[in-house]
Amino acid sequence: MRNRKLHLCLDIFWTFFKIGPSTFGGGYAMIPVIEREIVGKKAWMEEAEMTDIISIAGSAPGGIGVNASAFIGYRLAGIWGAIAAVVGIALPTFLIALVLSLFLVFMQSEPKIEAAFKGIHGAIIGLIALAAYNMGRSAIYDKTTLGTAIVSLALLLILPINPILIILVGLFVGVVLVKVKEAMGYRVTLEKGKEPIHTSHNGYTHYDYFIADGI
């Protein structure tokens, strides 16, 4: 058992160690690569669970890439898995940044270096857009979630509101909307692809149980 967990922690470390230097820009630019490795290649978790982890990582303090790594590592192998994931994703980036900082002072005025950074900036925008698309594909599945996403984006673009406030308000609004739907007898879907839940006035989730109440 201990050897299996050690092997899993080493696998987690190596997986995130490869992710670190392969993504430029950090943060949300890391999310598509992390998702491809964890969900696609390793099949350690489902896409829906990955989306939940990214949502929590984005709302927690700190960088979303490191936060997501810690949550994923903890989900797979406990505290040692979280340590392995964080060290794995941070170590190569730290070493690369340390080496580049030694040469950047001498190379930053070179035209080729400036052109390379412009290309990297464009790639980062593409990675962030891909991360937003993947999260939206899983998180937006009905009119309520679509409306919430549109209103949140509009508020962030129009008003000087701290994103943390939007996240906190979104938590409250989500709970209220679900309760209102349940009170009105609407079918409530909490995850994409899951069977909607219908709550009757008797508290049953399906009509067949309500009909059979007297049997």
Side-chain angles (χ1 to χ4, degrees):
M1 182 67 179
R2 182 175 298 179
N3 291 335
R4 183 188 304 175
K5 189 171 184 178
L6 176 61
H7 178 75
L8 178 58
C9 288
L10 292 175
D11 197 6
I12 293 171
F13 170 81
W14 179 242
T15 298
F16 283 97
F17 186 87
K18 293 184 295 182
I19 293 174
S22 66
T23 53
F24 292 89
Y28 283 95
M30 285 184 170
I31 301 306
V33 183
I34 294 176
E35 185 175 7
R36 186 177 66 238
E37 290 288 334
I38 302 302
V39 178
K41 293 184 178 180
K42 294 293 185 178
W44 279 337
M45 58 182 59
E46 299 293 332
E47 184 177 353
E49 186 177 6
M50 183 70 185
T51 301
D52 292 340
I53 288 178
I54 298 303
S55 300
I56 298 173
S59 60
I64 186 172
V66 176
N67 289 347
S69 303
F71 287 134
I72 293 170
Y74 185 82
R75 171 67 178 80
L76 297 174
I79 186 65
W80 289 109
I83 294 174
V86 171
V87 173
I89 203 168
L91 182 60
T93 304
F94 170 76
L95 295 177
I96 292 173
L98 181 63
V99 173
L100 289 178
S101 64
L102 299 176
F103 295 97
L104 185 59
V105 177
F106 304 99
M107 298 189 304
Q108 62 182 355
S109 59
E110 291 290 331
K112 293 182 179 180
I113 299 299
E114 294 180 359
F117 277 116
K118 289 183 179 179
I120 291 173
H121 293 162
I124 291 172
I125 294 174
L127 287 172
I128 294 175
L130 178 59
Y133 170 77
N134 288 335
M135 291 184 65
R137 188 178 59 180
S138 300
I140 300 176
Y141 51 84
D142 59 7
K143 294 180 180 179
T144 302
T145 52
L146 177 60
T148 304
I150 293 175
V151 172
S152 300
L153 179 61
L155 290 175
L156 287 172
L157 294 176
I158 297 173
L159 302 177
I161 299 178
N162 193 308
I164 296 178
L165 180 60
I166 296 293
I167 293 172
L168 296 177
V169 173
L171 293 173
F172 175 76
V173 170
V175 174
V176 171
L177 290 176
V178 169
K179 294 299 182 182
V180 169
K181 283 186 173 182
E182 289 180 346
M184 297 177 65
Y186 286 103
R187 290 179 176 269
V188 178
T189 303
L190 300 180
E191 290 186 29
K192 186 175 182 179
K194 294 295 183 66
E195 183 69 20
I197 299 174
H198 180 89
T199 304
S200 68
H201 65 278
N202 272 22
Y204 294 101
T205 56
H206 297 284
Y207 281 120
D208 51 351
Y209 295 115
F210 172 67
I211 293 172
D213 190 27
I215 299 177

